[in-house]
Structures are given as structure tokens and as C-alpha cells.
Amino acid sequence: MSRPILSLIVPVKDEEAAIAPFVHRVVPILEALGPQEGPEWSWEILFIDDGSQDRTLAELILANQREPRVRAISLSRNFGKEAALSAGIDNVGGDAVVPMDVDLQDPPEVLGDMLAKWRTGYEVVYGVRRNRLTDSLPKRLTADLYYRAHNWLSDDKIPEHAGDFRLLDRKVIEVIKLMPERNRFMKGLFAWSGFRQTAVEYDRAERAVGETKFNYLKLWKLAIDGITSASTVPLRIWSYVGAVIAMVAFAYALYLIGRTILWGVDLAGYASIMVAVLFLGGVQLLSLGVLGEYVGRILVEAKHRPIYVVRDRIGGPDAPPAEDTFQHTPIA
Ligand code: UDP
Ligand code: MG
């Protein structure tokens, strides 16, 4: 099997109902790109089963039997979408690679535009959502806030309203593979890697089947991962906050000493002492918390564990036939 021109990476977690519709919709679109792309044209779809608990894996095996250019890697448990994307990037063959959601929120029709821009020499063609009307208002607002905060704090600017849906040239894929970190905030890694980038606009559709796997808690964790991996400003800012507070405290101390010398000791001042103690206590706890976020991440990185664990491979060059996938060697 020679290297395909376009590879799609599709992470899936509990998406049994979404696999077949995705394949049905995307494969004809990929095939229709043939005339535009010329006789060399070839493609593959690589699903990453991110520890699904439902029939997702069975659906993937079925999809591979029907269409061998659809293959899959099954992870040993749920590692999260970012780790699943890493598994895809490490195992994908294409000259151009596009991560896509299985819920068809990323319209596959845009792939043609992406390839066309890639042919003109761009190494990254990211999809920008023309509108986010399919997202709820709170989600739009928090997303907006996040992009602003990230780009204000970090030198690696991530394009606003661009998701993981983007075409990446093989060169970019090889750079991402070299990145050793366990914390895989993909958008941050893409932004860091540079290269000639351009955008294509698209309308984000409603989720076709199933429901979102991201609640606000997961998104909050993702946001913290993103900022801590791209910026050390939250860590350094406390020296400046501390310096300002120390200067104010020094001025206040001078004033208190002067007042005591001039007017003698007075015991009033309970309120100001409490305010100072509570305020400083709060600032210290906050800065310790930020420190903890970073130290915790250093611990995770220092352990050097793998980012994901592969359990099975379905289809592809060196995989056993799908029927054999579950026939493990019996323990003697
Ligand atoms: N996903 C995954 N692992 C997870 C959570 C989600 O592989 O732990 C996949 C999911 O199956 C889907 C994609 O990531 O293909 C995007 O998820 P979702 O549509 O739930 O996110 P949203 O579009 O709501 O942000
Ligand atoms: Mg979705």
C-alpha cells in the first residue's frame, strides 16, 4: 500500500451511531476529488477509537471490511481527544492530513478547497468558522474569552474560531511528531510549529447524531492545559504583583511609623489589619495555586509516560485481518 495523498484522522469516543453516516457522507466526496487531484489521487480515513464503551469498535471493523481504505486504531482506554489526535498523527500516512470530528460538524465539502490551497504551497490550511450559531451563547462567549486570553498571554497566536479541522502538510506532521510533551493541546502545537498558513471559511453544522462529549468542566481543563503549555506569563506575573504590593505596603508602613511618632500609639485599626491579612493571604494562595498548576504539569512531563496506548489496529499495512483482532494468544 503506497502512501495516500490525503489522510483524515477521526477521533471517536462512544460514536457507534455516527461512524456509518460519516463514512457514507465522506467517502463519495473523497472519491469525487479524483478529477481535481489527478491520477495519483488516493486517500485513507484513520479512525482513533478513544476508549469507547459502546459498539464503536464493531462499527469500525465493519466499515473497514466494506472499505479497506477506512482503517482504525483502538486505544486501551479513553485518553482524551488531544491524545487521540496524537495517535492519529503518529500513525497516519498522507502527504496532507486533516483531523475531523465524526459528527459531521466539520463539512467534508471544504476538503476540496483545503487541498486546492495546499497545492498552491500553503503548509497549513485551517478552517475558520464563519459563524458559531450552532454553539450555545455561553459556549460562544467562553470560547471568545478563551481565544483572547490565550493570544494575549502567549506568543504563539492561535487563530480565532479555528478548531482542529485543518489541513496539515507532511512537514508539519513530522514536526508535531517530534514534540515530546505529554500535554497535547493540539491547537497550541500547530500554532507553535509555524509554516505558511492560510484560512478557508466554512459554516459549522449541527452535530449529526449523538451528543457532545465536552462539558464545561472538560473545556475548562482544556483551556488551562492550553494556556499553561503555551505561556509562562501566569507564573511570572506574581513577581510584579508582589513588587507592587510590597511598594504599597512600604509606603503604608512609612505612614504608620510617622503617625505613631507624631500622635503616639492608638489601638484602632482592626479593620485595616484584617483587610491587609486577608488580601495578602488570598494573593498568596492564588499565586501558589498557579505555581501548583505548573509544578503538576512538570511532574506529568517528568514521568515520560506514553501519550496513549494502542490496543488493536484494524486494517492498514501491518494489521491482522479484522476477524483476528480479538483472537489474543491464550495465557499458558
Ligand atoms: N472525542 C474523543 N475523545 C474524547 C472526547 C471526544 O475522541 O474524550 C471525539 C468525539 O467522538 C468527536 C470529536 O472528538 O469525534 C469532537 O467531539 P464533540 O463533537 O463531542 O465536541 P464538540 O464538537 O461538542 O466540541
Ligand atoms: Mg462536535
Side-chain angles (χ1 to χ4, degrees), residues 101 103 105 204 207:
D101 289 356
D103 53 15
Q105 284 195 286
R204 195 157 166 85
R207 197 177 225 284

Side-chain angles (χ1 to χ4, degrees), residues 10-15 48 50 78-81 84 100-103 105 139 204 207 211-214 218-219:
V10 190
V12 284
K13 161 87 202 314
D14 295 337
E15 303 276 12
I48 312 295
D50 186 16
N78 179 240
F79 283 87
K81 185 185 174 188
M100 264 177 98
D101 289 356
V102 75
D103 53 15
Q105 284 195 286
K139 184 154 181 185
R204 195 157 166 85
R207 197 177 225 284
E211 52 198 50
T212 176
K213 305 291 179 293
F214 285 90
K218 260 188 156 182
L219 287 172

Side-chain angles (χ1 to χ4, degrees), residues 5-6 30-35 37-43 115 119:
I5 291 180
L6 177 69
L30 290 173
E31 289 292 64
L33 284 169
E37 292 296 315
E40 306 281 84
W41 175 238
S42 56
W43 55 267
L115 283 167
R119 295 284 185 202

Side-chain angles (χ1 to χ4, degrees), residues 6-237:
L6 177 69
S7 295
L8 302 182
I9 301 176
V10 190
V12 284
K13 161 87 202 314
D14 295 337
E15 303 276 12
E16 56 181 8
I19 311 269
F22 179 88
V23 174
H24 278 138
R25 168 97 179 273
V26 174
V27 168
I29 291 172
L30 290 173
E31 289 292 64
L33 284 169
Q36 171 193 327
E37 292 296 315
E40 306 281 84
W41 175 238
S42 56
W43 55 267
E44 68 171 351
I45 300 177
L46 175 61
F47 283 99
I48 312 295
D49 170 25
D50 186 16
S52 298
Q53 303 280 351
D54 62 358
R55 288 184 34 82
T56 295
L57 186 59
E59 287 290 329
L60 292 176
I61 292 173
L62 212 65
N64 169 255
Q65 284 165 347
R66 289 192 190 128
E67 169 54 80
R69 285 173 288 184
V70 174
R71 56 192 189 97
I73 287 175
S74 178
L75 304 184
S76 65
R77 64 169 169 85
N78 179 240
F79 283 87
K81 185 185 174 188
E82 310 294 311
L85 282 177
S86 296
I89 282 174
D90 291 346
N91 290 284
V92 87
D95 296 332
V97 175
V98 179
M100 264 177 98
D101 289 356
V102 75
D103 53 15
L104 293 168
Q105 284 195 286
D106 308 323
E109 289 78 12
V110 182
L111 291 170
D113 301 348
M114 286 181 165
L115 283 167
K117 292 234 171 159
W118 174 60
R119 295 284 185 202
T120 67
Y122 288 104
E123 285 119 349
V124 177
V125 187
Y126 53 86
V128 176
R129 296 161 206 177
R130 203 175 285 132
N131 65 57
R132 293 189 66 130
L133 295 178
T134 51
D135 286 336
S136 66
L137 186 67
K139 184 154 181 185
R140 267 183 280 158
L141 288 178
T142 46
D144 221 48
L145 202 68
Y146 174 70
Y147 284 116
R148 267 164 218 254
H150 185 110
N151 287 339
W152 180 58
L153 291 171
S154 167
D155 293 332
D156 313 324
K157 310 288 179 215
I158 52 178
E160 284 183 38
H161 308 301
D164 292 318
F165 182 42
R166 60 184 70 204
L167 183 146
L168 304 158
D169 186 86
R170 171 83 0 217
K171 286 179 226 156
V172 186
I173 295 296
E174 293 304 325
V175 171
I176 305 280
K177 277 161 79 172
L178 288 179
M179 295 186 181
E181 57 246 70
R182 267 67 315 243
N183 175 7
R184 312 298 289 185
F185 181 69
M186 279 302 174
K187 277 183 258 196
L189 302 189
F190 296 149
W192 180 89
S193 59
F195 291 102
R196 279 184 297 254
Q197 310 209 354
T198 187
V200 288
E201 291 201 325
Y202 71 97
D203 291 313
R204 195 157 166 85
E206 297 273 7
R207 197 177 225 284
V209 282
E211 52 198 50
T212 176
K213 305 291 179 293
F214 285 90
N215 52 31
Y216 282 100
L217 185 65
K218 260 188 156 182
L219 287 172
W220 169 253
K221 285 189 187 151
L222 189 66
I224 300 292
D225 277 348
I227 288 181
T228 50
S229 69
S231 168
T232 54
V233 172
L235 212 49
R236 282 177 288 137
I237 196 153

Side-chain angles (χ1 to χ4, degrees), residues 1 3 30 39 76 80 90 174 217 231 283 287 290-291 310 327:
M1 206 171 94
R3 194 153 117 171
L30 290 173
S76 65
D90 291 346
E174 293 304 325
L217 185 65
S231 168
V283 168
S287 55
V290 173
L291 208 63
V310 173
Q327 293 176 7

